[in-house]
Amino acid sequence: MKILHTSDWHLGKKLEGAKRIEEQKLFIDTLEKIVTDENPKLILIAGDIFDTPSPSSEAEKLFFDAMKKISNFGKRAIVIIPGNHDSAERLVASKNLAKDFGIIIYENPLEVKEIGEYGQFQVERATEGGLILNIEGERVFLYSLPYVSEAYLDEMYKNVLVEKEEELGESIDGDLTYSEKIGALLKRGVVEVESENIPKIIMAHLFIMGSVGDGDEREAELGGSKGVDLDDLPEVDYIALGHIHKPMKYSRKRACYSGSPIEYRVTENRYKKKIFLADVKGDLDTEIKEIELENYKPIKKYEVKGIDKALELSQSLVGVQEWIYLKIVTDRYLASSEIRELRKNKNIVEIDVKYVDENEGENITYYENGELDIKESFKEYYKKFDGIEPSEEMVELFMRLVEGEEQ
C-alpha cells in the first residue's frame, strides 16, 4: 500500500507578526497535485495541523478545503493525530462530517474508533489506538499515538499498561523511563494484531532523542516531556513521525519525520522541505520516497555596514519574495525617518541595529525584533557618554524633539 506522510502544517502561523497564509495555500495546492500524481491510498498527518489551540477562521477554512481536495470524496483514507500545538477537542469537532469524507481524527491515546465504512473504505477492526483498514481490497494496520505529555503518559501507564502487562509477555516495573513507557505502549498496540499477516504502521507525534530540532521542539521537550530512544520503537513496516520541522529518516527503523512544509524559522533555511511516500509491502519490506517541496518565500538574513547601505538594500529587495531579517552595523543611531524608509519594505520582519563605537570598541544592540524603544535608547546613549542617567527633564525634552520630527 502506498502511503503519503506529512505533518507540522502549523496553519495560521506567523513570522514576527507577518501572515503566512498565502504560502500555506500554495502548499495545499502542491499537496493536492502530489496526491493526484502519486495516488496514495492512505494519507497520514502526524500532528500540529494548526499553530495554536484556537486557530483563526482563515486557518480552519484552509484545513477543511485541504481535506476536501486530498480525500477525493472519501476514496482515500486520511488519518490525523493532534500535536502539542493542536486542540484535540477542536480537531474532532467535525468528526461526523469528516467520516463521510473518509477522514479519521484521533482525540486521545488508546481511543477506540467505530468499525464500519468511512468514505469509500472500511475499518474492519478497531483496537485501543489501532485500526485495520481495508482500502480497495488492500489491508493495513495503523496504530496512532497523539502527542502525550509525561504526566499524561504516567497516568495512562499506571491505569492501563500495568494492568495488561501479561499481553507484552514480560514483567513491567515502575522504574521505566518516559522512552521505555512510550515503547511499551507502541509495542502493546502492535501486539494486538500480531497474528494478522498485513503491513503494520505507527503514526506518532513525539521527539526522538538525538534528532536535530529547530528551537521550539527541542526546548519544549527538554522543559517538559522527554525524548524517545530510537531503540525503544518496535519493528514495524513504517513509522510516521511529527514534531520536528526538519525532514529526517531513520533507515534501520523505517521511521521518518516529514518535517514542516514551509520555513517557519530562520534556522529552517538550511535544508529542503519534503513530503514522504512509503510503499509498504509487508514483512518490513518498505520503499521510502522523498518529494522536495518548493520554497515559496524563503527566510533570508542580511548584514550590512552603514545605514546608507541598509536603505539601499531595503529598496533593492522591495517586491522580492523573501522574508528578511536585517542586521545593521553602524556608528550612529537611526533617525525616525530612516526607520520609516526601511519599513516601506513590508518583507522586512526584523531589524537588528548594532552601534559600534570606534573610539571605545564597544557594541550596543539597541533596536531588535522590529521594535525601537527610542526613550530607552537615548537613556543608554546618554549614560554611556556622560556616565550618569539623564534627568527626567532631559528625557522629556528629547522625546518632544523626536515627536516633532515624527510630525
Side-chain angles (χ1 to χ4, degrees), residues 132-255:
I132 292 181
L133 304 173
N134 187 323
I135 308 169
E136 296 181 340
E138 290 190 60
R139 301 171 72 239
V140 66
F141 172 75
L142 171 65
Y143 184 84
S144 297
L145 181 64
Y147 175 79
V148 55
S149 69
E150 189 171 10
Y152 192 99
L153 179 63
D154 285 345
E155 191 64 25
M156 276 201 309
Y157 182 79
K158 182 168 57 179
N159 293 339
V160 179
L161 294 182
V162 172
E163 294 175 6
K164 298 190 177 183
E165 62 182 1
E166 292 182 0
E167 295 180 18
L168 299 175
E170 58 188 47
S171 177
I172 301 175
D173 58 40
D175 297 324
L176 295 186
T177 65
Y178 174 87
S179 177
E180 289 168 337
K181 290 175 184 176
I182 288 288
L185 181 64
L186 297 176
K187 183 178 178 182
R188 172 181 176 268
V190 175
V191 164
E192 291 268 2
V193 293
E194 199 168 37
S195 61
E196 294 279 355
N197 187 25
I198 56 176
K200 297 172 181 65
I201 303 162
I202 288 172
M203 175 168 57
H205 193 89
L206 50 79
F207 181 85
I208 298 294
M209 289 189 290
S211 55
V212 181
D214 289 282
D216 290 357
E217 304 94 341
R218 188 172 182 85
E219 290 166 9
E221 294 306 328
L222 292 177
S225 297
K226 295 182 175 62
V228 177
D229 192 311
L230 191 66
D231 290 333
D232 287 329
L233 299 179
E235 293 288 343
V236 294
D237 293 274
Y238 186 70
I239 301 176
L241 298 170
H243 199 32
I244 298 298
H245 286 196
K246 179 180 180 179
M248 300 183 70
K249 182 165 63 175
Y250 303 92
S251 297
R252 66 186 174 89
K253 286 286 186 174
R254 296 160 297 283

Side-chain angles (χ1 to χ4, degrees), residues 32-44:
E32 181 185 15
K33 184 178 186 308
I34 292 171
V35 167
T36 301
D37 292 345
E38 298 289 343
N39 195 29
K41 292 191 175 180
L42 174 60
I43 296 172
L44 304 179

